[in-house]
């Protein structure tokens, strides 16, 4: 078996402006960096993971494909952890920002170079 499509070493970093971590929620730039990408995005399981910096701490976001093809999103920030316990479909601002970004650039699994 010949493997020709090797995964690229460098992944895109995108900056998204979101409500900041301070009480006034002053818009602040958040950096999203892809840390993992499944070579087969249609397979059930983890599709992509991101590292988010710019907030109080560094967070991890994961997109997981369920058996029915639906994408489940996870974030490690306190907001997502706290609200996720009560509402399973809850999405924090990081996930919302990432989803909005993807709607803008199209399918992330087909366009590796989203950021200029
Ligand atoms: Zn979050």
């Amino acid at each position: 078996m010949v493997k020709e499509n090797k995964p690229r070493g460098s992944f895109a970093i995108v900056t998204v402006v979101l409500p900041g971590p301070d009480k006034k929620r002053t818009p602040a730039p958040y950096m999203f960096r892809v840390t993992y990408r499944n070579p087969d995005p249609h397979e059930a399981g983890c599709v992509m993971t991101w590292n988010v910096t710019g907030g109080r701490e560094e967070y991890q976001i994961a997109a997981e494909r369920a058996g029915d093809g639906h994408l489940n999103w996870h974030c490690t920030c306190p907001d997502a952890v706290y609200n996720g316990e009560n509402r399973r479909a809850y999405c924090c601002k990081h996930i919302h920002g990432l989803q909005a970004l993807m709607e803008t650039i199209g399918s992330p699994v087909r366009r590796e170079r989203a950021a200029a």
Side-chain angles (χ1 to χ4, degrees), residues 3-49:
K3 277 195 176 180
E4 288 185 334
N5 293 322
K6 286 187 181 174
R8 291 191 187 181
S10 62
F11 291 133
I13 296 177
V14 284
T15 305
V16 181
V17 176
L18 296 173
D22 62 342
K23 279 193 176 169
K24 286 183 178 172
R25 296 168 68 82
T26 310
Y30 284 74
M31 304 254 289
F32 289 77
R33 185 167 60 88
V34 176
T35 49
Y36 170 77
R37 193 167 58 88
N38 192 328
D40 184 356
H42 302 292
E43 215 172 64
C46 190
V47 178
M48 282 179 106
T49 63

Side-chain angles (χ1 to χ4, degrees), residues 4-116:
E4 288 185 334
N5 293 322
K6 286 187 181 174
R8 291 191 187 181
S10 62
F11 291 133
I13 296 177
V14 284
T15 305
V16 181
V17 176
L18 296 173
D22 62 342
K23 279 193 176 169
K24 286 183 178 172
R25 296 168 68 82
T26 310
Y30 284 74
M31 304 254 289
F32 289 77
R33 185 167 60 88
V34 176
T35 49
Y36 170 77
R37 193 167 58 88
N38 192 328
D40 184 356
H42 302 292
E43 215 172 64
C46 190
V47 178
M48 282 179 106
T49 63
W50 292 261
N51 230 39
V52 186
T53 51
R56 282 203 190 92
E57 290 172 46
E58 202 171 294
Y59 306 120
Q60 276 82 46
I61 295 178
E64 180 193 2
R65 190 167 307 278
D68 61 4
H70 194 83
L71 271 183
N72 290 318
W73 296 80
H74 308 278
C75 182
T76 59
C77 76
D79 180 43
V81 170
Y82 178 79
N83 288 288
E85 286 177 4
N86 306 316
R87 294 157 57 195
R88 286 205 61 172
Y90 180 82
C91 290
C92 65
K93 67 183 179 186
H94 309 110
I95 294 174
H96 275 301
L98 199 54
Q99 288 173 337
L101 180 76
M102 284 177 177
E103 280 170 17
T104 309
I105 63 172
S107 172
V109 297
R110 295 193 184 180
R111 295 190 192 183
E112 294 181 287
R113 289 172 169 268

